[in-house]
């Protein structure tokens, strides 16, 4: 069974940082387009950042300059460094691996930004 697992979420105050991690024991991430998505209560899931196997990176406008996606192929781990967090970033964050029409989602990790 293919598994993608996120970690690193938590409760932080506005302006603080978090780093999310995404790992898999069954997928080689270097062959996949890796994406971070988030879904806030009563809102649609949205793409936050993605990185292709060739290293092309895309960010949502709302996180540009604050979030950074990266991949460590040796550790088969994708990261999302989130700086300058605001209440608007509160959501469940999901990792997705996609390749040739196949998508593999993690179960998500909760990020709450509150004072």
């Amino acid at each position: 069974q293919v598994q993608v697992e996120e970690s690193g979420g938590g409760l932080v105050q506005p302006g603080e940082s978090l780093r999310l991690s995404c790992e898999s024991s069954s997928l080689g991430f270097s062959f996949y387009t890796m994406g971070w998505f988030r879904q806030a209560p009563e809102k649609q899931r949205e793409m936050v950042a993605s990185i292709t196997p060739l290293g092309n990176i895309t960010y949502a406008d709302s996180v540009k300059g604050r979030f950074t996606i990266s991949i460590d192929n040796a550790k088969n781990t994708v990261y999302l460094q989130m700086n300058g967090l605001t209440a608007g970033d509160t959501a469940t964050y999901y990792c997705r691996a996609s390749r040739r029409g196949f998508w593999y989602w993690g179960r998500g990790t909760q990020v709450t930004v509150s004072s």
Side-chain angles (χ1 to χ4, degrees):
Q1 183 178 357
V2 175
Q3 287 187 320
V4 176
E5 186 170 1
E6 306 93 341
S7 62
L11 171 63
V12 296
Q13 294 187 348
E16 293 186 339
S17 299
L18 276 177
R19 188 178 76 161
L20 306 183
S21 300
C22 175
E23 299 175 290
S24 174
S25 60
S26 54
L27 297 179
F29 285 168
S30 63
F31 299 103
Y32 290 77
T33 291
M34 300 303 302
W36 284 99
F37 293 73
R38 67 186 181 187
Q39 187 166 18
E42 301 182 0
K43 291 188 176 181
Q44 288 189 332
R45 191 172 296 189
E46 62 175 355
M47 190 278 290
V48 175
S50 67
I51 183 168
T52 71
L54 293 180
N56 296 314
I57 293 175
T58 302
Y59 293 103
D61 288 342
S62 58
V63 306
K64 282 181 181 177
R66 300 188 299 123
F67 290 12
T68 302
I69 188 171
S70 62
I71 185 168
D72 185 332
N73 289 320
K75 295 182 178 180
N76 201 40
T77 301
V78 177
Y79 301 99
L80 184 68
Q81 177 67 42
M82 306 186 294
N83 299 327
L85 285 161
T86 71
D89 297 314
T90 295
T92 301
Y93 284 72
Y94 298 90
C95 177
R96 188 186 80 178
S98 61
R99 181 172 183 249
R100 296 184 179 178
F102 290 89
W103 294 354
Y104 303 97
W105 290 92
R107 295 186 177 182
T109 184
Q110 178 67 36
V111 172
T112 303
V113 185
S114 175
S115 56

